[in-house]
Structure formats: C-alpha cells, structure tokens
Amino acid sequence: MRPNLLDPLFVPITSFTGIGPKIAALIAKALGRESADDTRAVDLLLLPPHRLIDRRNQPGVAYSPEHAIVTLKLHVDRHQPSPRGKGNVPYRVFAHDETGDIALTFFHARQSWLERSLPVGETVLVSGKVDWFNGRASMVHPDRMALAEDIDNFPLVEPVYPLTAGLSPKLLQRAVDSAVAALPDLPEWLNEAFLVQNGLPDFAAAVRGLHAPRDEHDMNPNAPARRRLAYDELLAGQLSLALVRQRIRKLQGRPVKGDGSVREKLLEALPFQLTESQREAIADILKDMQSPNRMLRLLQGDVGSGKTAVALFAMAACAEVGGQSVLMAPTEILAQQHFATIEPLARQAGVRVDILTGRTKAKERQAILSRIESGETKMIVGTHALFQESVNYHDLLLAVVDEQHRFGVHQRLRLTAKGAAPHMLVTTATPIPRTLVLSAFGDMDVSRLTEKPAGRLPIKTVTLELERIGDIVRRLKDAISKGKKAYWICPLVEESELSELMSAEQRHAYLAAEFGALVDVVHGRMSSADKDRAMQDFKTGKTRILVATTVIEVGVDVPDASIMVIEHAERFGLAQLHQLRGRVGRGSEASSCILLYKGPLSETARARLSIMRESEDGFRIAEEDLKLRGEGELLGTRQSGAPGFRLVDLEAHRDLLETARNDARYILEMDGELASERGQALRMLLYLWRRDEAIKLLRAG
C-alpha cells in the first residue's frame, strides 16, 4: 500500500482548480503519460522546465533591441479599436515612457478585456518582443501585462515547460504551481553526509528550486536542485533493477557442471575459429552457470561478432547434464535463422533442436510440445510462443533472449517464472554505451564481444547526394552482372503526400524497370509468408536486389550480399545506420555501403554521416549517438521498458550513475526488504518515480 503521506501527490490533476477533463487530456499528452486518468500531481511535480524567459531587461522603449524580450513600464494614452465588421484589422493601444512611444497590437481581442487590462491614464508593466517599423516601436500580443498595483506578482524570470497544441503556458504553469503547493513534508531517503559532501538540497527544496529558476545557472543539469532530483531518479531506477536482481537470485539457480563432451563435438563441427573475446565470454558464462546463484548476464556484441555461437556453447553445457535451454528471438524471421545456424551444428554434436513459433502447424506443434515435455528435445528455438501456458519443459536450465532492447524489465520477470528458475543470458547487437548499460541493465553482469570473426573484410562506406542515383544504378548493373547481391533500404513503405521520402513500393517499381525480375521488395506490411518467400528468393539468388524498409535491420543473414544502399540516410539514427550496414560484409568478399542523402544537411545529420564514414566500431558509434541524440531515443524507450529519463542527463550525470548503482546494492545488502526507517523513506522514493512494480517484488518476497 502506498503511504498515506503521499496521497496529496497522487490526486488526479482534474482535482486542481481550472483543470477539466479536456485540459487534463492535453496535460497528459504534454507529459507523455498514457491518459489523463493516469496523470497525477506527482507527474507535474517532477516535470522540469526546458528553458526560461528572462524578463529582467527593462531598457525603455527607445533602447529596446529588435526581437528581444523586454519589459516596459508604460503610461497608457489611448485605445484604437478595430473598425466594426473588420476583425482582420488589429486593435491598437498607444502608450509611452520617458524614452519614446509604442503601439501594443492585438488581433481578434475583446475590447472590454483590453480596457480592463490596459486602462487609459494608468501605469502598466508589459513584456514581450519589440518590432520596429519606420522608426516606430510596436509589440504584438505582449506575453505578460500587469497594472501598477500588481507589479509585485509580475514574474521577471519565467520557466517554460513542454507544451502540446491547445495547452496554454499559463494553464500548465498554474497546474504545476498547484502540484508544488500540495508537496507534503517527506522524510529524507539520502544520507546526510552524502548531501553535505555534494552540496545538494533536500527533496522539497530541490522541487521548489526546479520550478523557480532565478537565472540560466539554475537551468544547468549540474545546478544543485537538478542534480539532487537527477540522483533521486537514478537511485529509484537502480533500486528497482537491484530488486529485480534480488528476486531473481532468491530463486536458487541449479549449478550446471557439464563434462565438456558436447562442447568438444561442437568445436569440431564449427566451420571457423572462435575469437579471443568469444572464448572469454563463454568462460564467463560457464563460470556463472556453475555457481548456485542464477546467472543474469548481458552479452553485447556488434553486428556479426558471433553472439549466437557463444550462446550455443552455453546451451551445449546444459545438454551435457541432461537439461534444456531455449533461445528466444523477437521475430519469426530471426528465429528461423537461428534455427538454421544452430540445428546442423547441434545435430553433429548429437543434440536434438526444435523450433516453436506462432506459425508452427497444430499437428507438428503437438509433437514438438510432447518432445519438450519428455526432455527428448534439449534445445528449443522460437519467439514469445516459447513461454505460453501450453509449453511445459522437462528441465529448463537456461533461457537465452536475443535482442535485449526489445524486452523490458517486466518481460525479464515473466521469463523467470517458467521452469525451475533458469539461468538467463540476454544478447544484444545494439552496442550500448557503458552509461546506458548501467542505467537500463544495472541488474546484469556484462560480457562484450569486441572482435569480428576471422576473415571478415572492412566495409567501404561512401556518402552521395540523391541526385546521383543514375550512377548507382549503373554501378549496380555492373556488380550484378558479376553475380553480386544488394540491399536497397527506403524509409517508407508506400508513397505518402506528407513526405517526399522515397517509398519502398515506389523504388521497387523504379528499379524493376531497370532490372526486371531480379528485384524484389520486403516490408513490414507484407504477410509473414510473403516476407519469407522474398527473403528466400534473395538468399538463393533468384533475385539479386532486395528493396526493403528497416524490417531487415535486425539479424537477417545473407552472407553473399555485399552492397548496401541506404536512401535518405540523413533521416536514420546512427545506431540504425550501423545495424543496417552490418547486413553486408558477412562473407569473405569486400563489401560497400552507400549512404544517399538529400541536401542541405543539418549539423547533426552531417555529423552522423561522417562518423559512419570514419568508423565501423559499434561501441564508438553508440557513444557518439548518445552525444548527438540523448539516451531516451537510443534505446527506443517506448518499446524497451528502458529509462526515458526526465531529469537525468547521462552526459552530465555519469558520475551519479555509478554512485546510485553502488548505493542501491549497498541498501539492499543491509536492508533487503526496505523495512528500516531509511528503507521506508526509500519506498516513498520508488512511488514518487512510479516504480510500483519494484515494490510489488518486495511483497512477493
């Protein structure tokens, strides 16, 4: 149960004066909440302003710079209403100060309201941007106006919050003020010594400071109020991850100590030598699995670094002791591909592998399910179908989850409910910077594959303007006549009036006119059967050019494809460009990647394309991507259950992340159920940052 002390912060925002259902829906949208019903006072409390308006510049009319925001103390001279029936002619109020005259201009304004707000003969304070026409000053729709007696309440420094269409800054500000006013006196959850040492305020002072910045310094991520709240946000995240880890570790793992017989046969069957980092990762994984604690490890490796081979050796160790392992992929295409890689190798080592996806036919499915239940099948590859109610494992020792960024913390918990607490290995081909690994996967140990398999050649990357598409087609004709294969990636599926980006359908038609039946297309709106057919035709060489959307980004493996054309490359993120480029260069021949862009390029787009030309190192690219884009987008926050931070800026707050991680682990070592006085305060922290899931774990025991 949430402590009663927090009740004022969890009232619906419609309980605030002036906020009805319509405004509440707009505020929910601006805050990125699912719905108005799910939006509470606490969400406003922790909404940081993203800039401020400084109205302290009061130069006088004559000295007001063009387009700058100024505040003027004026004497109102006269009103000039719009002529009757001519609403498009503005209403003007003429005023002056000791330096000169100014016209305050309003469109579609009510005369009665303006006469009340700017009475003739009175002194008023107005603030807004000044324009100059033929030596005359004018201010169109001042942002702020106040009569002389209200000047004390005139905000000279004003925070600006993210808005959405239809939501006025004044309304949102009033709602934020109501939330801040409702803030109760909360117990401190951070150590006194830590606060003093880092010069941080208490929570209430930090919240008030966040919403009442005095100048630009207070907007800096390292201003004390922001730093305090960023640390709270990181600690809440790390504490909930540590609780997941504690819960997973509580379920005793089964030590897996195989005799190495299956692994030896696998080594002989492999058509390549393992790299040094593959050997190290396998050693780390086997060491984890031999301990009575459950393994929870993240295996990071760039595109084509051989993660599947590493996973296969972990699965082989389970087969040696008569246990089972599963490899779960996010899509059917990927599951089929893993099966095609693993099955022949496992068969040579004497181990049975089955595949289970949503498309497995009923009769075949029944046979597979009975083989899984009897323990005859030792390795099972599949999609989410592996964890449906109908699947009963004989003895599940290991779950390998492919493409981590598609699985959030909640899915990790659901997986652990199957089987007798299997060990867990999670793999990702998205190189994630160290800071993000800590923030999103703080509950995991990490192995990195840093080398490419032997014999892989570098991929030559060039950038070209879209106008030169004719040259590309000529070069493709030459390459295809020599038996080569090419991907051609487009950002959209079909033509849309809103965008001039080249769609996959359109580009397919254009290339089919040049190459005939050698061109095919694959995109997300096609049925699974059509996608499989298109991929199969490309693999076998029936087609030579595959036009595709980013559906092929993750894990598609056609080793003899050696050309990658990415159209409108300026519209893709760095991580995505790197993933797409990794689809070529998987065989033994030299490969190339052509990034087609439409100028003029923005600074960020230019930086992205030049990094792609300079580097093939996924980890360096990920670090650069973090600098260019920020952490939320990099992990695809929406789909990942990964942190979309509100106050944390990972560039500025890297040092806090390490501290929060260590603090969370220490807290749970000393007080695993958060039952002490500080523990109770920390439970409040988890509620404030909407980490209720983690608190349920405490109760689940």
Side-chain angles (χ1 to χ4, degrees):
M1 287 290 288
R2 191 175 58 230
N4 296 339
L5 186 58
L6 293 178
D7 288 351
L9 299 181
F10 284 85
V11 295
I13 53 173
T14 45
S15 63
F16 293 149
T17 311
I19 297 180
K22 200 172 168 188
I23 298 296
L26 292 172
I27 290 176
K29 193 175 175 189
L31 290 173
R33 302 293 307 167
E34 295 291 317
S35 68
D37 298 339
D38 185 39
T39 309
R40 300 280 187 253
V42 70
D43 301 313
L44 288 163
L45 199 69
L46 298 171
L47 173 72
H50 59 88
R51 62 186 181 90
L52 57 80
I53 298 174
D54 190 341
R55 303 189 187 282
R56 289 175 297 186
N57 183 17
Q58 301 185 34
V61 172
Y63 306 109
S64 295
E66 176 107 53
H67 303 320
I69 288 178
V70 297
T71 300
L72 303 171
K73 196 172 187 177
L74 302 171
H75 180 82
V76 181
D77 298 322
R78 65 189 175 89
H79 283 233
Q80 182 183 301
S82 313
R84 197 178 283 277
K86 291 198 172 176
N88 58 340
V89 177
Y91 188 119
R92 289 194 170 87
V93 177
F94 295 95
H96 74 274
D97 66 7
E98 61 272 20
T99 71
D101 300 325
I102 190 167
L104 306 175
T105 306
F106 301 87
F107 291 89
H108 309 294
R110 285 200 322 278
Q111 184 169 347
S112 57
W113 175 73
L114 283 172
E115 285 170 346
R116 272 199 317 278
S117 307
L118 300 166
V120 173
E122 292 287 340
T123 299
V124 294
L125 210 58
V126 300
S127 182
K129 283 183 184 168
V130 171
D131 295 304
W132 288 88
F133 300 102
N134 301 327
R136 292 183 178 191
S138 121
M139 187 184 285
V140 179
H141 282 285
D143 305 328
R144 289 273 177 183
M145 305 190 297
L147 296 171
E149 62 261 29
D150 295 329
I151 281 174
D152 288 347
N153 298 324
F154 193 93
L156 289 173
V157 177
E158 201 177 331
V160 180
Y161 298 92
L163 292 171
T164 189
L167 180 62
S168 78
K170 238 177 224 168
L171 259 174
L172 184 57
Q173 179 70 62
R174 201 184 307 150
V176 169
D177 292 345
S178 302
V180 174
L183 180 61
D185 193 11
L186 299 173
E188 182 56 78
W189 46 78
L190 296 184
N191 272 330
E192 187 62 37
F194 175 77
L195 292 175
V196 172
Q197 190 183 344
N198 289 278
L200 300 179
D202 63 48
F203 178 73
V207 167
R208 293 188 186 106
L210 178 73
H211 297 292
R214 294 155 304 177
D215 53 34
E216 283 297 337
H217 291 298
D218 288 345
M219 300 299 291
N220 187 303
N222 283 321
R226 287 193 169 232
R227 226 172 133 73
R228 158 73 208 234
L229 295 173
Y231 187 74
D232 282 344
E233 185 172 14
L234 285 170
L235 183 60
Q238 290 300 310
L239 202 49
S240 59
L241 284 170
L243 282 164
V244 170
R245 185 187 184 93
Q246 176 178 275
R247 171 92 179 115
I248 283 171
R249 290 276 161 95
K250 258 185 190 169
L251 300 163
Q252 277 285 300
R254 290 245 313 284
V256 176
K257 297 177 178 175
D259 59 6
S261 56
V262 179
R263 281 167 282 161
E264 268 174 38
K265 288 177 190 161
L266 264 184
L267 263 178
E268 286 166 25
L270 279 183
F272 52 82
Q273 291 284 309
L274 291 174
T275 64
E276 194 49 47
S277 53
Q278 278 177 313
R279 288 177 192 280
E280 280 171 23
I282 291 168
D284 286 343
I285 290 163
L286 294 175
K287 187 178 167 200
D288 282 2
M289 285 166 60
Q290 283 164 8
S291 110
N293 289 328
R294 290 179 66 198
M295 172 174 73
L296 189 57
R297 186 169 281 277
L298 177 69
L299 175 64
Q300 276 191 283
D302 213 340
V303 179
S305 59
K307 296 178 296 298
T308 311
V310 171
L312 182 53
F313 276 85
M315 294 167 86
C318 297
E320 287 166 6
V321 297
Q324 293 170 303
S325 51
V326 296
L327 193 162
M328 177 158 118
T331 64
E332 292 192 6
I333 285 184
L334 263 178
Q336 293 285 357
Q337 210 165 278
H338 282 311
F339 182 68
T341 307
I342 285 172
E343 200 279 332
L345 293 168
R347 193 175 352 111
Q348 288 181 61
V351 176
R352 170 135 208 167
V353 186
D354 269 319
I355 180 166
L356 194 61
T357 70
R359 277 169 54 212
T360 308
K361 301 277 188 299
K363 194 175 171 187
E364 189 188 347
R365 182 185 178 79
Q366 215 36 61
I368 292 170
L369 290 178
S370 65
R371 285 199 294 272
I372 292 173
E373 196 164 354
S374 71
E376 183 189 340
T377 298
K378 295 286 185 274
M379 298 180 184
I380 306 100
V381 178
T383 54
H384 292 78
L386 293 172
F387 290 95
Q388 286 165 352
E389 292 302 314
S390 58
V391 188
N392 296 308
Y393 292 94
H394 178 70
D395 184 15
L396 182 59
L397 293 179
L398 169 69
V400 181
V401 183
D402 184 22
E403 276 306 316
Q404 165 59 35
H405 66 288
R406 294 170 190 257
F407 294 95
V409 174
H410 307 315
Q411 285 95 323
R412 297 220 277 281
L413 283 172
R414 210 165 60 235
L415 282 184
T416 58
K418 269 282 181 193
H423 295 283
M424 193 179 296
L425 176 67
V426 174
T427 72
T428 175
T430 310
I432 306 169
R434 179 173 155 65
T435 40
L436 278 185
V437 168
L438 285 181
S439 60
F441 315 112
D443 55 335
M444 295 187 152
D445 300 305
V446 181
S447 292
R448 271 185 166 192
L449 299 181
T450 51
E451 309 155 78
K452 283 200 170 179
R456 294 264 171 105
L457 297 170
I459 301 167
K460 187 181 181 213
T461 304
V462 294
T463 49
L464 282 179
E465 289 221 40
L466 262 171
E467 284 74 65
R468 296 187 50 194
I469 205 155
D471 297 350
I472 305 287
V473 171
R474 280 192 292 281
R475 280 163 66 181
L476 266 185
K477 280 187 173 162
D478 182 45
I480 281 162
S481 69
K482 292 174 182 163
K484 298 197 174 181
K485 289 182 189 172
Y487 291 108
W488 189 301
I489 305 299
C490 302
L492 285 181
V493 177
E494 58 199 30
E495 199 172 358
S496 134
E497 289 179 19
L498 299 174
S499 167
E500 82 285 11
L501 303 194
M502 179 55 73
S503 76
E505 302 280 11
Q506 227 182 335
R507 181 55 74 214
H508 175 236
Y510 170 84
L511 291 171
E514 300 281 345
F515 296 93
L518 289 176
V519 188
D520 206 346
V521 64
V522 61
H523 56 67
R525 292 197 197 162
M526 287 163 60
S527 71
S528 293
D530 286 345
K531 269 191 245 178
D532 289 352
R533 180 205 45 76
M535 289 304 307
Q536 201 50 38
D537 287 352
F538 185 56
K539 257 186 158 166
T540 58
K542 187 175 172 185
T543 56
R544 294 269 159 195
I545 300 174
L546 189 63
V547 179
T549 53
T550 52
V551 79
I552 69 127
E553 175 190 341
V554 178
V556 174
D557 197 6
V558 182
D560 59 344
S562 59
I563 300 164
M564 170 64 71
V565 181
I566 303 174
E567 195 161 343
H568 279 291
E570 77 279 4
R571 300 295 180 102
F572 291 92
L574 253 181
Q576 208 173 22
L577 287 172
H578 178 64
Q579 284 277 334
L580 287 165
R581 175 171 64 184
R583 298 297 116 225
V584 296
R586 301 186 139 223
S588 51
E589 65 176 308
S591 296
S592 54
C593 175
I594 300 145
L595 303 173
L596 289 174
Y597 67 89
K598 186 171 171 53
L601 290 174
S602 69
E603 279 304 306
T604 305
R606 182 171 285 113
R608 268 189 208 138
L609 297 186
S610 71
I611 291 161
M612 286 296 292
R613 275 201 313 270
E614 288 162 23
S615 178
E616 268 192 80
D617 175 352
F619 291 102
R620 186 203 151 190
I621 285 171
E623 290 286 356
E624 296 292 342
D625 207 12
L626 179 58
K627 285 181 198 156
L628 290 175
R629 284 203 296 169
E631 64 285 344
E633 274 186 81
L634 195 59
L635 279 167
T637 304
R638 282 274 164 262
Q639 67 190 9
S640 67
F645 291 120
R646 294 207 216 169
L647 281 140
V648 174
D649 172 331
L650 280 177
E651 276 292 289
H653 300 140
R654 277 179 190 221
D655 58 322
L656 294 181
L657 179 54
E658 287 277 2
T659 311
R661 187 187 196 209
N662 295 336
D663 199 8
R665 290 196 165 182
Y666 172 74
I667 288 162
L668 291 185
E669 273 169 29
M670 304 308 289
D671 178 17
E673 290 299 316
L674 298 184
S676 66
E677 195 177 328
R678 186 187 180 195
Q680 294 295 336
L682 284 160
R683 286 178 180 230
M684 291 194 190
L685 169 75
L686 290 170
Y687 278 115
L688 287 171
W689 289 100
R690 302 290 205 125
R691 299 283 184 170
D692 310 28
E693 285 289 331
I695 293 168
K696 284 179 196 155
L697 290 181
L698 283 169
R699 288 204 291 276

